[in-house]
Amino acid sequence: MAANERVPAERRRRRPTGSGVVLSADLIVDTACQLIDAQGAQAFTVRKLGAALGADPSAVYRYFRNTEELFLALADRLIGESMAGFTRSGDWAADLRDLCLRAYRSALRHPQIAVFSTVRVTGRPHEQRAVDTGIGLLLEAGFDEATAVRHYHTLVDTALGHAALDAGFLRLSPGQRTADDQAWRSAYATLPADAYPNIHRVRDQLPLMAGSAVEGALDLLIEALRASR
């Protein structure tokens, strides 16, 4: 039987490896997360995962049909991390902001995984809970069903889009990151006023460009949502 045709029940069986470690889906996801955090998604292989687990690589396929399914589980793990400890304050707008920033920060804790996690739909329990929570907040705020879905889509894609952008920045070398940050303080801040009057006028504020714009973007959107009710 092919790996992608194994029955789901087989994947739930906890089996010890040759080194005595009891495999589980959670352990595999944890170990894959550590490997990708350390080495990057492009360097990840099931062979390396098996070695880190002390198991034959084929054992992974008793729990995940293929690497695609494993990567979706990893993406869902990040969403689960973002939802851990989330509680409603009673202010729907503040709660939406918190929910989106949690997703952003979870992705930034794992920038190598954010390469693929920010652009996938996992269809798994953590994502389902996050979607249900976000849309629920908008429904409670008084938006109709279609508008609630559109607004949630806009908010979460804004947060994840910034996460993908900022994760890309974190994957640069330290020297590249420093050079990019310094460019706002040197190359831009010293441009002549006659050629670049607007840049010259705001030159003292240009270092702000070195930070993430995620909070500002979310604040603008949520302010617009408050005003549209």
Side-chain angles (χ1 to χ4, degrees):
M1 181 180 294
N4 63 357
E5 295 174 350
R6 292 193 176 97
V7 294
E10 183 179 354
R11 288 182 279 135
R12 293 196 294 268
R13 295 168 61 184
R14 296 170 63 85
R15 303 183 179 194
T17 67
S19 60
V21 175
V22 177
L23 284 183
S24 67
D26 284 341
L27 177 61
I28 291 170
V29 170
D30 287 343
T31 306
C33 183
Q34 293 166 9
L35 282 174
I36 295 175
D37 280 347
Q39 302 177 9
Q42 291 184 331
F44 176 82
T45 66
V46 174
R47 184 175 297 278
K48 289 181 180 179
L49 178 58
L53 290 164
D56 188 283
S58 64
V60 172
Y61 296 115
R62 291 200 292 268
Y63 298 85
F64 299 96
R65 293 183 176 90
N66 46 44
T67 54
E68 168 83 356
E69 188 176 84
L70 174 58
F71 279 9
L72 290 177
L74 279 163
D76 204 56
R77 170 66 61 85
L78 266 61
I79 300 172
E81 287 184 11
S82 75
M83 294 295 291
F86 173 78
T87 55
R88 299 189 183 193
S89 68
D91 181 337
W92 64 269
D95 291 346
L96 278 170
R97 186 182 191 275
D98 182 31
L99 194 70
C100 290
L101 285 177
R102 282 170 169 271
Y104 167 83
R105 290 167 181 156
S106 178
L108 264 290
R109 284 192 293 271
H110 306 277
Q112 300 291 346
I113 296 174
V115 174
F116 57 84
S117 70
T118 53
V119 297
R120 297 306 308 272
V121 178
T122 75
R124 289 170 175 262
H126 292 310
E127 182 185 73
Q128 291 164 355
R129 180 187 167 213
V131 173
D132 187 70
T133 300
I135 290 176
L137 287 167
L138 287 158
L139 291 172
E140 291 169 17
F143 295 102
D144 63 60
E145 288 85 351
T147 304
V149 171
R150 287 197 302 271
H151 288 339
Y152 176 77
H153 184 199
T154 299
L155 286 166
V156 75
D157 275 15
T158 295
L160 293 179
H162 280 279
L165 176 66
D166 294 344
F169 179 75
L170 291 177
R171 294 195 304 276
L172 296 175
S173 70
Q176 289 173 317
R177 293 199 298 270
T178 299
D180 282 5
D181 287 346
Q182 286 297 326
W184 297 112
R185 295 173 171 82
S186 55
Y188 273 86
T190 58
L191 290 173
D194 56 342
Y196 303 94
N198 299 310
I199 292 176
H200 183 78
R201 178 177 175 180
V202 301
R203 62 190 181 282
D204 291 339
Q205 307 303 320
L206 288 174
L208 295 172
M209 296 288 286
S212 175
V214 63
E215 293 197 45
L218 288 173
D219 287 344
L220 286 172
L221 288 171
I222 290 173
E223 182 180 349
L225 292 185
R226 283 189 186 275
S228 70
R229 293 174 63 224

